[in-house]
């Protein structure tokens, strides 16, 4: 992980926020999760979160399957995925009925991988091992949302932010959220490229001038001069970030970059809830 002031030739700044940092630890402790929610960290890294042999088992099963892509009218360059993502089923600030139908197929294809364990369940257990009440999959209207997807952004993710409060009308989950994180577990990484970049910049109304046409993403000039973290993932590592900061993934070179991922919300009740 490196910290800096600009990337891609953008103008630098000399400021430094001591709370804009990535913590690295052997587990997601209560203090680290609370610190991320409170803004003491921008990211938490746990190397070796999943043993290499388990990563290889999931990766081998996924490599034998065809991936779909997120909606290409909105997501360019293309990002491949295995499983169902809620972002492809947004409708008028809510969630389309097509999402629930798609989830039926999602569960079938994941079960069809024939894995010896449920990787998303294992991820939730590890994430919530030191958090009161653990981690559960969130519900909307009493119905359980998706538990996660495998994503392959070999051409990268554009600069963007994720914030359910701004993306959905009302509450996305049955329980109101007071915080939001993004979880990724890396199954394979390229020899170069594929870095996650996180900027110390949250959405402001004037940022919409930089939004790309019909896209989820923004021109990188939106974060010009902002302090940043650049994180190079490792196989088996879990990364939890505050996705309300603008962030991006750089293109991969030399190998596929495949990670399991889901969103995590801190509910007003104090429970951690996931969705995808």
């Amino acid at each position: 992980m490196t910290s800096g002031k600009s990337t891609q030739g953008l103008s630098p700044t000399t400021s430094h926020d001591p709370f804009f940092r990535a913590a690295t630890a052997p587990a997601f402790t209560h203090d680290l999760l609370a610190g991320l929610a409170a803004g003491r960290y921008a990211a938490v890294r746990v190397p070796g979160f999943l043993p290499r042999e388990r990563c290889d088992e999931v990766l081998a099963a996924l490599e034998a399957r065809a991936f779909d892509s997120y909606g290409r009218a909105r997501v360019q360059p293309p990002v491949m995925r295995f499983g169902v993502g809620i972002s492809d089923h947004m409708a008028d600030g809510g969630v389309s009925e097509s999402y629930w139908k798609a989830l039926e197929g999602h569960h079938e294809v994941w079960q069809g991988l024939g894995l010896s364990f449920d990787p998303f369940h294992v991820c939730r257990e590890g994430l919530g091992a030191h958090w009161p009440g653990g981690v559960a999959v969130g519900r909307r209207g009493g119905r359980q949302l998706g538990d996660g997807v495998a994503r392959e952004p070999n051409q990268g993710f554009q600069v963007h932010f994720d914030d359910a409060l701004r993306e959905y009308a009302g509450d996305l989950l049955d329980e109101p959220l007071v915080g939001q994180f993004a979880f990724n577990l890396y199954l394979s990484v390229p020899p170069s490229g594929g870095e996650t970049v996180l900027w110390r910049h949250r959405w402001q109304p004037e940022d919409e001038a930089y939004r790309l046409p019909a896209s989820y993403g923004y021109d990188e000039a939106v974060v010009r001069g902002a302090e940043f973290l650049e994180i190079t993932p490792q196989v088996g590592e879990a990364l939890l970030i505050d996705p309300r900061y603008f962030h991006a993934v750089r293109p991969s070179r030399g190998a596929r970059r495949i990670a399991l991922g889901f969103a995590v919300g801190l509910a007003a009740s104090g429970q951690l809830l996931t969705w995808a």
Side-chain angles (χ1 to χ4, degrees), residues 4 13 37 45 110 115 125 149 158 171 181 187 233 236 261 267:
T13 178
R45 308 177 67 175
W110 275 96
L115 299 173
E125 280 193 328
V149 296
Q158 293 176 339
D171 294 316
F181 315 128
L187 303 176

Side-chain angles (χ1 to χ4, degrees), residues 147-194:
D147 51 1
V149 296
R151 294 186 293 190
E152 184 178 0
N154 288 329
Q155 299 179 63
F157 272 110
Q158 293 176 339
V159 176
H160 67 289
F161 71 94
D162 301 295
D163 187 345
L165 179 65
R166 297 189 184 279
E167 294 172 300
Y168 297 91
D171 294 316
L172 172 61
L173 307 184
D174 289 344
E175 293 192 53
L177 301 179
V178 296
Q180 184 173 334
F181 315 128
F183 177 93
N184 280 280
L185 170 70
Y186 299 95
L187 303 176
S188 65
V189 297
S192 63

Side-chain angles (χ1 to χ4, degrees), residues 10-216:
L10 301 182
S11 301
T13 178
T14 57
S15 64
H16 173 63
D17 180 353
F19 290 149
F20 188 73
R21 54 182 171 149
T24 301
F28 289 108
T29 65
H30 179 275
D31 286 349
L32 286 172
L33 292 174
L36 185 63
R40 293 184 179 276
Y41 311 103
V44 178
R45 308 177 67 175
V46 177
F49 180 85
L50 191 68
R52 183 66 181 249
E53 59 270 20
R54 285 198 154 189
C55 291
D56 290 345
E57 179 185 347
V58 181
L59 182 63
L62 288 172
E63 288 181 330
R65 300 300 180 101
F67 279 45
D68 295 321
S69 66
Y70 285 96
R72 298 197 179 203
R74 188 179 62 88
V75 180
Q76 287 291 337
V79 173
M80 308 307 293
R81 62 167 167 76
F82 187 84
V84 173
I86 197 171
S87 62
D88 277 341
H89 299 272
M90 296 173 64
D92 300 322
V95 179
S96 169
E97 279 298 314
S98 64
Y99 174 69
W100 306 105
K101 184 172 181 59
L103 273 185
E104 297 175 11
H106 164 91
H107 296 307
E108 290 176 5
V109 297
W110 275 96
Q111 291 171 0
L113 293 179
L115 299 173
S116 64
F117 67 103
D118 179 343
F120 296 116
H121 176 75
V122 169
C123 287
R124 291 194 302 273
E125 280 193 328
L127 178 60
H130 303 285
W131 189 261
V135 181
V137 181
R139 293 179 177 271
R140 179 179 176 86
R143 294 187 283 186
Q144 183 172 294
L145 289 105
D147 51 1
V149 296
R151 294 186 293 190
E152 184 178 0
N154 288 329
Q155 299 179 63
F157 272 110
Q158 293 176 339
V159 176
H160 67 289
F161 71 94
D162 301 295
D163 187 345
L165 179 65
R166 297 189 184 279
E167 294 172 300
Y168 297 91
D171 294 316
L172 172 61
L173 307 184
D174 289 344
E175 293 192 53
L177 301 179
V178 296
Q180 184 173 334
F181 315 128
F183 177 93
N184 280 280
L185 170 70
Y186 299 95
L187 303 176
S188 65
V189 297
S192 63
E195 301 91 351
T196 294
V197 185
L198 193 66
W199 285 271
R200 187 183 173 275
H201 180 83
R202 297 195 182 194
W203 182 85
Q204 301 173 25
E206 55 267 30
D207 292 337
E208 288 307 293
Y210 296 95
R211 186 184 284 273
L212 299 171
S215 174
Y216 75 102

